[in-house]
Amino acid sequence: ALKELLWQWVSESRVDRVVLLAMDGAFLQSGRPDVEHTLVVTGNDYVAEVVAGHPKLLFGASIHPYRKDSIEELDRVVQMGACLIKWLPSAQNIAPDDPRCIPFYERMAHHRIPLLSHTGVEHTLAQFDNALNDPQRLVPALRQGVCVIAAHCGTRMFLHEPSRFKQWVGLAKEHANFYGDLSAFCLPLHGQPLRRILADADLLSKVVYGSDFPTPPMPLWYLPQLGWRKGMALRRILNPFDKALMTMRELGVPEQVFSRAEQLLRIPTAQPCLRTCAT
């Protein structure tokens, strides 16, 4: 039933393509699976199978770089049509600046497949140190020529938490292959970073749209900017992909942000990807 509901939402949405993300487990320093500290696993084969049946879905793979077969698995998912590799370092126990990641980065650069890595404090799958999500740790991947998309641009959810947004800004301006996505920007405390991005042409050229599905958008948080009528109209949108998309549009995000994914993802077909969002 969940798969059918997802398919219905995607089919009816104004979004052209949706990236469905896999989630590899946590691994020990030795390269063996850390079953005790693995909270969620969504396998590459399962996600590839779901994606294969829907023309608007793209396959986002997840591979832990400490795995002994990480290079082989990367080659395999690329052949299966993966458009990106997804990491959540503090949930998977990945130190992106660990020298053991370098061969994996080299192979990613060879395949020209981007890395989508969570940055900032993680709440849903909090397991390991949130310092693993520092954007600065992604510099070795950038130096190896990998296109890196920092999920959430290092922003925070609560006032008492540290924000890594300034680090993201510095890296985005310094590295041509470093980007950020706007997933979770429909949630509290993201208004100021969004205004900063929209006011800076250089930063605006380095962001990609993302929905953060299944996290529900909260357009009423932006009532001061949207006004009551627009805010309530957005709240009444039932399709979660459309609600996130339309909220970002009403907040002034320009069209090129919604279509930039077509330039960055390893899309296996020639079909346009005008408004792609990673789930």
Side-chain angles (χ1 to χ4, degrees):
L2 182 58
K3 175 182 173 180
E4 285 70 24
L5 182 57
L6 173 64
W7 279 32
Q8 178 184 342
W9 280 335
V10 172
S11 298
E12 296 174 351
S13 175
R14 304 182 190 192
V15 174
D16 295 308
R17 308 293 286 274
V18 171
V19 181
L20 196 62
L21 300 174
M23 179 70 176
D24 206 354
F27 278 73
L28 300 167
Q29 300 293 317
S30 64
R32 298 177 58 188
D34 187 352
V35 178
E36 180 182 355
H37 296 102
T38 293
L39 299 177
V40 172
V41 172
T42 307
N44 289 324
D45 289 336
Y46 171 74
V47 175
E49 179 183 348
V50 173
V51 164
H54 199 293
K56 291 178 68 173
L57 288 174
L58 295 170
F59 170 30
S62 182
I63 304 169
H64 199 297
Y66 298 173
R67 285 174 52 162
K68 296 177 181 180
D69 66 341
S70 62
I71 302 295
E72 291 80 3
E73 179 66 3
L74 178 58
D75 292 340
R76 189 178 77 92
V77 299
V78 166
Q79 288 296 317
M80 293 165 62
C83 68
L84 59 78
I85 302 299
K86 163 68 176 180
W87 286 356
L88 208 171
S90 65
Q92 296 171 292
N93 192 28
I94 299 172
D97 53 355
D98 191 312
R100 288 174 296 177
C101 297
I102 298 300
F104 191 78
Y105 293 147
E106 292 175 340
R107 198 63 174 175
M108 288 189 69
H110 168 77
H111 287 302
R112 296 184 179 179
I113 189 167
L115 173 64
L116 173 65
S117 187
H118 178 96
T119 55
V121 177
E122 166 61 15
H123 300 94
T124 307
L125 299 176
Q127 185 65 285
F128 298 94
D129 190 348
N130 271 298
L132 296 173
N133 301 327
D134 189 331
Q136 194 68 37
R137 288 180 175 261
L138 295 164
V139 169
L142 299 171
R143 291 175 176 166
Q144 294 301 319
V146 177
C147 174
V148 177
I149 304 170
H152 321 303
C153 300
T155 51
R156 61 182 173 178
M157 187 69 67
F158 301 107
L159 284 173
H160 69 277
E161 296 174 343
S163 172
R164 306 292 185 183
F165 180 67
K166 288 185 179 179
Q167 287 93 323
W168 176 82
V169 168
L171 291 169
K173 288 180 174 288
E174 180 181 355
H175 296 275
N177 52 332
F178 188 71
Y179 293 81
D181 80 12
L182 298 183
S183 59
F185 272 67
C186 291
L187 299 178
L189 292 187
H190 288 75
Q192 184 175 356
L194 181 60
R195 289 191 294 272
R196 172 80 167 84
I197 291 170
L198 293 177
D200 188 321
D202 291 336
L203 294 180
L204 195 56
S205 71
K206 303 302 291 292
V207 289
V208 184
Y209 172 67
S211 72
D212 207 37
F213 177 86
T215 304
M218 299 174 63
L220 294 188
W221 178 262
Y222 290 97
L223 277 180
Q225 295 97 307
L226 295 170
W228 180 260
R229 182 175 296 179
K230 283 185 180 179
M232 292 304 295
L234 290 167
R235 185 176 183 271
R236 287 192 291 268
I237 297 175
L238 298 180
N239 187 303
F241 297 109
D242 284 352
K243 182 179 288 188
L245 171 69
M246 297 308 296
T247 299
M248 287 289 97
R249 275 184 165 173
E250 293 292 349
L251 288 172
V253 176
E255 285 302 309
Q256 62 262 33
V257 172
F258 300 106
S259 61
R260 185 162 290 128
E262 185 177 8
Q263 307 165 24
L264 305 183
L265 302 185
R266 192 180 188 279
I267 301 174
T269 71
Q271 298 180 27
C273 183
L274 300 179
R275 289 179 293 275
T276 301
C277 60
T279 63

